[in-house]
Every structure is written in C-alpha cells, then in structure tokens.
Amino acid sequence: MTLLPGVRSATVDTDRLRMHYVESGPADGTPIVMIHGNLSTGRFYEHLFPDLPDGYRVIAPDMRGFGDTEPLPLDATRGLADWAEDTGALLDALGVEQPPHLVGWSTGGAAIARYAHDRPVASLTFIDPVAPYGFGGTHRDGRPCFADFAGTGGGTTAPELVSRLAAGDASADSPFSIRSVMRAAYWAPTHVEPREDLLVTEVLKTVVGDDGYPGDSTPSQNWPGTAPGTRGILNALSPKYCDWSDIVELDPKPPVLWTHGEADVVVADSSALDMGTLGAAGEIPDWPGDGVFPPQPMVGQIRDILRRYADAGGRVCTEMFPGSGHGPHFDARDRWVAVFTDFLHSA
C-alpha cells in the first residue's frame, strides 16, 4: 500500500538474511532504528516519521518472521539474539557506522537490550517492552514458577488466533481475528486507528508455524501442561530464553527512555495474555494458586530493573501515558513524539 510522503521502502541483502525496511530522512543523518513488536512490522512506526526531528535517518525494518523480510526460522534458544544480530547486519549492509538511537516496542524491547550488549548505541527507548525476565511464568524477582518454564512459550497462545492468521482472516468476525486483537490489545479501545486496514495486511504477512508464530511447544507435567519448545517467536519470549535484566551491567550505559501505556493489557502486572492471570480468573482450570504461579508483575519487574540501572549510574527517563494501551505511539501519538523528541535532544 502507498507509503506516507517522505517515506522510502527498500530491501537489502545482509550477511544474515534479506531484510525489508522503511525509512525517512537523509542518508547521512543520525540513525534512529525502530524495532517493532510481535505480530507487527516496520510500518507500525511509519506514521511517526513525518513529525520526527530533522537531521535523523529513521529506519524501521521488518524483523525475522514478519513482513517482507526473508522468512528464515527463528532460533528461540537464543532469545531475541537473532533479531539483535539481524539489526546489526542491516546497519552494516547500509553502511551505517554511527551508534544508533534504538527504539523497541514490546518484543522489540528485548531485542534492543540485547543489541546494546554487542554494539555501541546512542540511546535506548522502550515502548511497553516485554518484561526483563521474559513473558509469563516468573515471580517478581525473576524466579521461574516451574523449572521447565511451563506456562510460557509456543503452546500458550489461542489456537483460533493461529488458524485465522494462517487463513489470512482480515475480518473482525471473531475476537481471535487479528483486527479484533489489535482493537482490543494494541491500543486503547477508544482509539480509532486510521491505518488499520494497512496494519492488518502487514500482520497477515507473519510466518505462521513452528519456525515463526507461535513456535513449537513441549508437553509438561506442570500446569497448564505445556512448556517452551526451541523455535519461533513465543518461545524466544519465554523466560527460559529471554532475559534482558543484565542491561544493568552495560558499560558505558546509554541513556534510557521508558514509555508505558497505563491501560496496557499486554504488558501489565496482570496481563490479559499471561497464564497466571488467566488461571486466577478461572479461564484455565486447575490453577495451582498465587504462591506457585502468580500473574507475572511485568511492570513491577521493569521498574525494578530500570531502578537498578539508574542506581548503577545510568540515566533513566520514565513517561507514563494514562489511558493509553500497549501502543502509546498510536493512541497518544503526538505526546509520544514530543516526549521522544525531547529525549533525543537530551541524549
């Protein structure tokens, strides 16, 4: 579909895979690289490009498993390392040598944290990032609820969502169609997204199956009967493999901006997608109780890690967005751009 004015689309061969991206700004501008989340693409940032400050080259790639990037498998045992290394390979292929300002939404938050361990960065901006200990199945301090990380990974998603994605369902006929999921979870219910048709089309490019979304799974004797596999995006997000709490050890420490929608139902202290939350609500039978498998306190975990980052000498800016959902850069776009721009100028 038609790009917004000033936005360019391209595909480049890197030394890891062929990647598609959208970009704006001068080729020699200070780089901003925006990494999307699960079930989205680089075009989920495109609406921000026109109002970002001059002098920056803004690059938003389609990450492995999504969009128009080469559909190679995702090795979940590396967490989001494939995404981080793919991003580095893209910048190398584009001849970008200056350390980038990195933005990571949701899943992308873990990817940019991993990137910062391997390469210099100018700053890190988290938009409702996955919790630092991964998604689901942990206590406040990051301890797993079960040794095999049962209750996380590829077996925890709704089968109807997977089947509708595979069928290319663009309708709103079911709460499990991607259009309905976006309206319920990506932004505040009061937000009407003018680019919704485009974004639905983008999500329907997702690689569906064991190597993509949701990934494979392993039977477990622990509740709720499924544990992570080794392939695909939901396993990469499992606390078995995903852990960016070691961001505290970065040296030097780039400045950090954390933006959070206070009405987020995805990354929350009682996430609507977390097995602990669903068990406590009676949606999944035989829940073993709060002492064994509590709802993961995701926002609390993010606060804890960023507080430790600040205590260790890092600069952390935090902005809460009352009433916003999982994507404040959608439902509070103008304020989010203003906050991000101020942060860029101070970084």
Side-chain angles (χ1 to χ4, degrees), residues 153-173:
T156 60
T157 196
E160 186 178 345
L161 171 59
V162 178
S163 64
R164 286 180 177 271
L165 281 173
D169 178 16
S171 77
D173 294 343

Side-chain angles (χ1 to χ4, degrees), residues 136-184:
T138 63
H139 298 273
R140 177 70 177 251
D141 62 2
R143 289 177 297 115
C145 297
F146 295 115
D148 66 350
F149 296 89
T152 71
T156 60
T157 196
E160 186 178 345
L161 171 59
V162 178
S163 64
R164 286 180 177 271
L165 281 173
D169 178 16
S171 77
D173 294 343
S174 163
F176 297 103
S177 67
I178 192 58
R179 189 181 298 271
S180 298
V181 169
M182 287 199 306
R183 291 174 180 176

Side-chain angles (χ1 to χ4, degrees), residues 256-290:
V256 167
L257 170 63
W258 173 34
T259 59
H260 176 68
E262 292 187 335
D264 189 355
V265 299
V266 178
V267 174
D269 284 340
S270 293
S271 168
L273 306 182
D274 175 32
M275 294 293 103
T277 302
L278 294 171
E283 298 292 330
I284 301 176
D286 303 320
W287 178 55
D290 197 70

Side-chain angles (χ1 to χ4, degrees), residues 59-271:
I59 302 168
D62 294 346
M63 302 310 296
R64 182 181 298 239
F66 298 96
D68 294 315
T69 282
E70 184 179 4
L72 296 187
L74 180 67
D75 181 355
T77 66
R78 308 184 71 231
L80 272 296
D82 272 349
W83 276 24
E85 293 173 14
D86 291 346
T87 302
L90 172 64
L91 296 185
D92 290 344
L94 296 179
V96 175
E97 297 179 355
Q98 187 175 352
H101 296 276
L102 295 181
V103 179
W105 176 35
S106 195
T107 297
I112 66 170
R114 174 58 185 261
Y115 182 106
H117 272 281
D118 300 330
R119 294 174 176 238
V121 301
S123 71
L124 297 170
T125 294
F126 296 102
I127 309 173
D128 294 84
V130 62
Y133 303 108
F135 195 94
T138 63
H139 298 273
R140 177 70 177 251
D141 62 2
R143 289 177 297 115
C145 297
F146 295 115
D148 66 350
F149 296 89
T152 71
T156 60
T157 196
E160 186 178 345
L161 171 59
V162 178
S163 64
R164 286 180 177 271
L165 281 173
D169 178 16
S171 77
D173 294 343
S174 163
F176 297 103
S177 67
I178 192 58
R179 189 181 298 271
S180 298
V181 169
M182 287 199 306
R183 291 174 180 176
Y186 283 37
W187 41 71
T190 54
H191 175 71
V192 177
E193 175 50 46
R195 300 170 69 241
E196 183 179 272
D197 286 345
L198 165 66
L199 300 182
V200 167
T201 299
E202 287 292 296
V203 177
L204 291 177
K205 298 175 181 178
T206 297
V207 175
V208 178
D210 287 349
D211 287 324
Y213 183 91
D216 61 346
S217 61
T218 303
S220 174
Q221 294 182 342
N222 295 313
W223 184 88
T226 183
T230 60
R231 301 150 61 194
I233 191 65
L234 290 193
N235 293 310
L237 288 168
S238 164
K240 184 172 183 178
Y241 309 118
C242 179
D243 185 341
W244 58 269
S245 63
D246 58 358
I247 191 176
V248 175
E249 300 167 10
L250 288 179
D251 184 20
K253 289 180 167 56
V256 167
L257 170 63
W258 173 34
T259 59
H260 176 68
E262 292 187 335
D264 189 355
V265 299
V266 178
V267 174
D269 284 340
S270 293
S271 168

